[in-house]
Amino acid sequence: MKIKIYISSEVVIKPILAEAIVETGVLLNVSQAHFDRSHGEVVADVLEEHFEKMRSSLVSKGAVVTRLDTPIEWDEDECVECSACISVCPTKVFSLDEEYSLLVDKSKCIQCGTCVEMCPHNALTLINNK
């Protein structure tokens, strides 16, 4: 399952991901990460049976953990097929067919949200389930 880990500025300088992995023995497969002085965000895969153990460890260290159960939602009526999403998607969820119509392969979505930020018409959304 995919999870998003948000680490606030108070704990971003601590190695809480490494600590949680060592503490729980649960491995994470990180697909995207962003850290700066103000916060950190990580999108990772964890086995369903290990989710609660990892979540508990991370929360006890000050992180906020969100399940990412729903891939990107695409509003075809709002979309103008400008292709902004194609250029920023790290997993190639978006492509154009021979007629330059946008194609969306939700199975490739890692729920990083980069395309949502880039879409000038708000045609893309992420619904984060807890």
Side-chain angles (χ1 to χ4, degrees):
M1 92 167 38
K2 293 207 180 302
I3 61 172
K4 183 176 188 179
I5 305 162
Y6 178 83
I7 303 166
S8 68
S9 60
E10 292 81 41
V11 294
V12 77
I13 59 171
K14 298 177 185 176
I16 67 170
L17 284 177
E19 290 172 355
I21 290 169
V22 169
E23 177 184 304
T24 64
V26 174
L27 297 178
L28 295 176
N29 183 19
V30 176
S31 55
Q32 183 143 3
H34 168 79
F35 287 89
D36 60 29
R37 291 182 305 173
S38 66
H39 74 285
E41 289 183 352
V42 175
V43 175
D45 288 300
V46 63
L47 294 176
E48 178 87 34
E49 60 265 23
H50 299 306
F51 168 72
E52 192 54 43
K53 185 192 303 186
M54 179 57 75
R55 187 198 68 74
S56 295
S57 178
L58 288 166
V59 167
S60 74
K61 295 170 185 8
V64 176
V65 180
T66 306
R67 288 178 148 208
L68 299 176
D69 293 338
T70 307
I72 198 76
E73 290 295 323
W74 174 44
D75 183 344
E76 293 182 56
D77 295 330
E78 189 61 39
C79 181
V80 296
E81 298 181 348
C82 69
S83 303
C85 53
I86 293 173
S87 64
V88 298
C89 181
T91 58
K92 311 232 182 287
V93 170
F94 308 96
S95 61
L96 295 175
D97 66 13
E98 319 66 59
E99 298 174 4
Y100 299 102
S101 293
L102 189 67
L103 300 173
V104 180
D105 183 353
K106 292 181 181 185
S107 69
K108 295 180 179 179
C109 183
I110 61 169
Q111 303 160 345
C112 65
T114 305
C115 60
V116 174
E117 295 172 13
M118 291 302 294
C119 182
H121 285 265
N122 298 318
L124 299 167
T125 56
L126 275 176
I127 302 168
N128 294 330
N129 298 324
K130 299 267 183 201

